[in-house]
Amino acid sequence: MSYKNFPMVPRVIFGRGSFNQLNDILEPKRLNSKAPFIYLVDDVFKSNTWLTSRIPLAYDDRIIFISAAEEPKTSQVDELVEDIILTTKERPSGIIGIGGGTLLDLAKAVSIMLTNEGEAKDYQGWDLVKNEAIYHVGIPTISGTGAEVSRTTVLTGPEKKLGINSDFTPFDQVVLDSELTQGITKEQWFYTGMDCYIHCIESLEGSYLNAFSQSYGEKAYDLCKEIFLDNNLTEEESQEKLMMASWHGGMSIAYSQVGVAHAMSYGLAYLLGTKHGIGNCIVFDHLEEFYPEGVKLFKEMKAKHNIELPQGICANLTDEEFDVMINVSLGMAPLWENALGKNWKNIMTPEKLKSLYQKM
Ligand SMILES: [Fe+2]
């Protein structure tokens, strides 16, 4: 038995308003005294001067606004990298991602692809990255995905939706300022928060569970209950606790795996472009069979916050389309093995999976 030796985020700053310290954090990391920092920022902040005016631009630093309407793609990473190489005179000092999971994953992937040859799709998988990424910083403005702590950056490529999992993927620095999460819609807050809740259930109910994952998973699970059910927190407390729930949920799956909901929502994302948070919710709503307690509580949370999930998204799919989705999903072997054990193939047959998708 050989145990995995995982890196963790080496530096984190936590606190409301900590975003104001960004200049102090970054300036010592500036290379050749003037190489630029490139900010990848969710374009919902484009006219939000409360946030953008506090991004400390100097020399040739620049902001690239990016829409998070779609899941991040390998081709998008390649275009960003090409653009950065063509428009900056020297290797950037760092990449800073500001936004939700999409922007954080793009920042991780771009920082890797600036120092590694070829295309992003060549690195989808486990431990394929050869060279250390450039310095990269994650600043979440939505909590739940765990992208701020994870060792992966999940990208949709021409053949698959799969992460670049490597020791060079985790951020060098994370800024956790819960004030940045305040402008979000109720739906987005719920879907992304439920990504965290589902990480906990899939980790805690999985066959890969161990004391490391359990300790983080249980904490994140308790925080999710406080935030989404108990309802006796102030808005600030709720935002701060969800930030820490996301962190712990991400740490929990670092040393185990996710499960059925993630494996199935990857299929939906690949075929239909369904975004991660809402996709997980659509799937999880139908998984009583695998996670009875977890789904029961999920339905309570959904009712409490008056969330209506889309129905019938698979209603008009052809057999070929179902097959594409089923192949993507069943390709996530570690997720299925974690969820259903070594003999998962006998339980989750293509027919069984199709019948589950047909309910959605
Ligand atoms: Fe997730």
Side-chain angles (χ1 to χ4, degrees):
M1 177 78 190
S2 135
Y3 295 99
K4 290 176 188 154
N5 185 14
F6 284 143
M8 289 167 75
V9 172
R11 278 184 182 267
V12 55
I13 181 166
F14 174 85
R16 283 179 91 79
S18 58
F19 186 60
N20 292 332
Q21 290 170 243
L22 193 53
N23 189 53
D24 300 340
I25 294 167
L26 296 182
E27 238 10 80
K29 299 289 179 184
R30 196 180 284 279
L31 303 173
N32 310 324
S33 75
K34 62 175 178 20
F37 286 104
I38 312 284
Y39 294 85
L40 308 183
V41 181
D42 190 317
D43 71 2
V44 297
F45 295 113
K46 205 164 186 173
S47 51
N48 182 334
T49 52
W50 174 76
L51 185 134
T52 56
S53 69
R54 293 187 290 150
I55 294 176
L57 298 176
Y59 306 100
D60 290 328
D61 294 351
R62 68 184 176 116
I63 300 176
I64 303 176
F65 288 103
I66 299 173
S67 165
E70 291 183 3
E71 295 278 282
K73 295 185 187 61
T74 55
S75 58
Q76 190 183 8
V77 172
D78 296 333
E79 282 163 27
L80 281 164
V81 169
E82 191 173 305
D83 176 58
I84 291 168
I85 290 171
L86 289 175
T87 56
T88 49
K89 288 176 222 109
E90 50 199 327
R91 178 178 284 188
S93 296
I95 303 292
I96 297 104
I98 303 180
T102 296
L103 267 293
L104 297 182
D105 278 358
L106 282 173
K108 290 196 263 189
V110 166
S111 72
I112 288 170
M113 293 311 299
L114 279 166
T115 56
N116 286 275
E117 291 191 350
E119 298 174 74
K121 70 174 168 61
D122 305 334
Y123 297 95
Q124 283 180 288
W126 280 268
D127 302 304
L128 301 172
V129 179
K130 289 172 196 73
N131 305 316
E132 195 174 341
I134 69 167
Y135 177 74
H136 49 302
V137 179
I139 309 182
T141 64
I142 304 176
S143 302
T145 65
E148 65 279 16
V149 286
S150 74
R151 186 184 174 272
T152 188
T153 157
V154 185
L155 301 171
T156 304
E159 283 145 39
K160 55 202 167 193
K161 179 178 176 183
L162 182 62
I164 299 178
N165 295 265
S166 83
D167 282 354
F168 305 121
T169 308
F171 285 113
D172 298 297
Q173 167 81 56
V174 169
V175 177
L176 296 179
D177 179 350
S178 61
E179 214 173 35
L180 303 179
T181 68
Q182 65 191 359
I184 190 173
T185 65
K186 183 186 77 177
E187 281 71 25
Q188 194 63 56
W189 167 77
F190 185 83
Y191 299 146
T192 310
M194 286 301 107
D195 187 25
C196 173
Y197 172 72
I198 294 168
H199 292 156
C200 299
I201 303 295
E202 291 184 322
S203 171
L204 293 171
E205 299 294 319
S207 63
Y208 292 179
L209 190 66
N210 52 71
F212 184 101
S213 293
Q214 189 177 8
S215 64
Y216 284 108
E218 285 175 347
K219 186 68 211 176
Y221 176 84
D222 290 345
L223 288 167
C224 284
K225 280 209 297 192
E226 259 188 274
I227 297 156
F228 293 99
L229 276 182
D230 299 348
N231 209 21
N232 41 32
L233 300 174
T234 67
E235 198 140 331
E236 281 189 25
E237 284 170 335
S238 174
Q239 288 164 357
E240 294 203 327
K241 288 191 180 210
L242 188 53
M243 218 155 219
M244 291 321 298
S246 177
W247 186 275
H248 283 80
M251 286 302 299
S252 179
I253 48 175
Y255 224 97
S256 66
Q257 246 313 341
V258 282
V260 181
H262 275 74
M264 290 189 66
S265 95
Y266 274 34
L268 290 180
Y270 186 81
L271 183 75
L272 304 170
T274 315
K275 292 213 73 190
H276 187 67
I278 190 170
N280 279 345
C281 287
I282 292 170
V283 172
F284 198 66
D285 207 28
H286 295 281
L287 297 184
E288 297 90 341
E289 190 183 339
F290 305 99
Y291 307 110
E293 284 304 308
V295 174
K296 185 167 162 264
L297 212 61
F298 170 76
K299 288 182 189 288
E300 283 176 39
M301 295 173 182
K302 204 176 57 156
K304 181 161 190 117
H305 298 285
N306 297 313
I307 300 290
E308 296 263 3
L309 292 174
Q311 306 289 326
I313 62 166
C314 297
N316 299 312
L317 298 183
T318 64
D319 285 344
E320 290 72 33
E321 288 174 318
F322 273 113
D323 287 343
V324 168
M325 220 159 50
I326 289 165
N327 283 332
V328 169
S329 181
L330 292 181
M332 313 298 298
L335 283 65
W336 291 110
E337 188 180 298
N338 177 46
L340 306 174
K342 287 239 179 296
N343 294 320
W344 65 271
K345 284 182 180 158
N346 300 331
I347 304 167
M348 192 49 69
T349 59
E351 296 73 34
K352 171 71 182 169
L353 189 52
K354 187 171 184 176
S355 75
L356 284 168
Y357 274 130
Q358 281 169 331
K359 293 184 189 175
M360 294 163 193

